Amino acid sequence: MRVKLWGVRGSIPTPLNSAEYRDRLKGALAYARAAWTRDPDLSADAVLARLPAEIGDLVGGETTCIEVLHDGAQLIIDMGTGARRLGYDMFRRGIKGDVHVLMTHTHWDHIQGWPFFGPGYVPGNRIHFYSSLDNCRERFQRQQHFDHFPVEFDATASEKIFVTHPHGASFQIGPFTIRTEALMHPGGSTAYRIEAGGAVFVFATDTEFFGGDLAEQIEQRKPFFAGADLLVMDAQYSLEEAQQKIGWGHTAMMICVDCAVEWNARRLTLTHHEPAHLDDKVRSLFSQAQARLAEKQPASQLDLRLAIELDEYEL
C-alpha cells in the first residue's frame, strides 16, 4: 500500500508569501556561497540536494487530501485544495472511471478542492463519495451554489454517487477493507482504518484528544487505532494552543505522540498544520514532539514524521 499526501495544511490554504519566499532565498544563497567556497565544482543540483530542510523544503499550504494506492486500486480521502493537483496527476496517469472518495467531514478546508478536481468534470467518470452524513450531497451542492461558484455541483459532467455508512461500520472497496470511527470535532468527523496487502493505514484528522480524562480517551480508542503501520493524525496545535482552544476539535503534536505510543503505531505522521504557523513554527513544534517521544519512551521504535506536502509512504 502506498500513501501520498497531497495536502497537509488545516483550516485554510496557506501559500508562501513574498517575505517568506525572500527569507528562503537569502538562506539558500548564503548556503550556496559557503558550499561553492568549499568546492567550486559543485553543480547547482548538488547544492540544492544538500540544502537543510528548513531552507530547501516547504511544509506545504494545500488543505487535506490523501491518496491511497494498492494493487492498481485507488482511494482518496477528503477533497481539500490538494485535490486540484491530484486531479491533474490522475489525468497524467490515465486514471478514470470509478473514483472512490472517503470523506472525514465537510468543513470547508476538506471540500473546497472539489470544484477544481478535474476528473469531476469528465463524462463517464463515476465519483463515489463515502461518509457518515445522510445529506453529504446537499452539502456539496451548497458549496457550489451559483451565488458562490460559476458551475453548480450537479452541472459537472461526472456521475456523483453518495454512500452512507454509520460510524463503526466496516466495508470493502476493491482490495481495501475499511473501518470507521467517530471522532471528537465540532459537527463530527470520521477516522478511517484501511487495510490492504497485510498493511494498516489509519487516518484521523480533525480530532481532539485533551483534558483530565486524556488517558481514558486514548484507552477507549485503542481497539480501532492499535497497531497501525502508518497513523496520520491531526496535530494542529501547540500544547498551549490546545489548552486555549478546548472544544475546537484539534490536537497538540505532543499529545499525538502519547496516543501513538499507547496505540503501538509503527509510524506517526503529524498533519493538519495550523495556518497561522509559518514553517519554522511547525518545525519547532515537531522538534518538541520529538523531545516528547524521547522523554516518554526512550526505547520506542515509533518512526515520527512531520507531514510534508507530496511526501509518499510505502507500507
Side-chain angles (χ1 to χ4, degrees):
M1 185 159 45
R2 184 157 58 92
V3 176
K4 184 163 184 175
L5 312 180
W6 289 93
V8 300
R9 188 67 62 167
S11 301
I12 191 169
T14 312
L16 197 69
N17 66 35
S18 295
E20 294 160 359
Y21 175 64
R22 287 178 174 274
D23 284 343
R24 291 296 186 103
L25 282 179
K26 286 190 289 186
L29 289 170
Y31 184 90
R33 180 170 57 187
W36 278 318
T37 298
R38 293 189 299 269
D39 184 355
D41 295 326
L42 275 178
S43 68
D45 285 341
V47 173
L48 286 171
R50 299 179 188 187
L51 286 174
E54 61 270 18
I55 298 174
D57 295 332
L58 296 176
V59 170
E62 303 280 16
T63 63
T64 301
C65 182
I66 309 296
E67 183 181 23
V68 185
L69 299 167
H70 179 73
D71 197 22
Q74 179 203 45
L75 292 177
I76 299 169
I77 306 177
D78 281 352
M79 279 279 149
T81 59
R84 178 179 60 90
R85 282 197 292 176
L86 167 58
Y88 298 154
D89 200 62
M90 288 169 62
F91 286 148
R92 181 185 63 80
R93 287 179 277 159
I95 297 176
K96 58 185 178 180
D98 290 287
V99 177
H100 300 276
V101 182
L102 307 178
M103 293 302 306
T104 63
H105 63 311
T106 57
H107 283 167
W108 195 19
D109 52 321
H110 294 260
I111 65 172
Q112 63 192 152
W114 161 257
F116 303 93
F117 180 65
Y121 292 81
V122 176
N125 279 354
R126 294 169 298 279
I127 316 296
H128 303 257
F129 294 91
Y130 304 82
S131 76
S132 66
L133 305 166
D134 291 334
N135 66 343
C136 194
R137 176 187 289 272
E138 180 186 339
R139 295 180 183 210
F140 274 91
Q141 288 171 329
R142 288 202 300 263
Q143 177 182 225
Q144 281 177 256
H145 187 280
F146 195 68
D147 287 348
H148 310 300
F149 195 78
V151 181
E152 293 188 334
F153 179 80
D154 293 317
T156 56
S158 63
E159 180 182 0
K160 274 75 68 180
I161 302 159
F162 287 81
V163 182
T164 304
H165 291 286
H167 285 134
S170 297
F171 54 98
Q172 196 82 20
I173 300 176
F176 302 104
T177 300
I178 301 163
R179 288 171 52 198
T180 68
E181 177 89 346
L183 296 173
M184 179 66 72
H185 189 71
S189 184
T190 300
Y192 290 97
R193 182 183 178 98
I194 301 169
E195 302 185 24
V200 178
F201 168 48
V202 177
F203 185 70
T205 191
D206 292 68
T207 182
E208 183 170 355
F209 284 85
F210 193 76
D213 63 343
L214 177 60
E216 182 180 347
Q217 295 172 35
I218 294 172
E219 184 62 29
Q220 286 177 343
R221 302 291 185 161
K222 192 168 187 177
F224 178 83
F225 284 95
D229 295 293
L230 172 63
L231 168 61
V232 178
M233 186 172 177
D234 183 299
Q236 183 158 336
Y237 293 150
S238 67
L239 198 56
E240 295 74 21
E241 287 168 329
Q243 292 167 341
Q244 295 163 3
K245 298 180 178 181
I246 294 172
W248 287 40
H250 299 288
T251 303
M253 281 196 184
M254 290 198 291
I255 291 177
C256 288
V257 169
D258 295 351
C259 292
V261 168
E262 293 300 321
W263 294 334
N264 299 312
R266 186 170 67 85
R267 178 180 292 159
L268 169 64
T269 296
L270 303 170
T271 193
H272 208 269
H273 308 307
E274 165 64 42
H277 294 167
L278 301 182
D279 282 9
D280 286 349
K281 176 67 172 180
V282 174
R283 293 185 185 280
S284 173
L285 293 179
F286 181 64
S287 295
Q288 294 176 24
Q290 290 175 307
R292 175 77 165 195
L293 178 60
E295 172 192 348
K296 183 177 178 65
Q297 200 83 6
S300 174
Q301 297 301 305
L302 178 65
D303 181 6
L304 182 60
R305 304 285 184 93
L306 184 67
I308 302 293
E309 196 172 290
L310 302 184
D311 270 3
E312 298 185 50
Y313 295 86
E314 293 283 349
L315 310 185

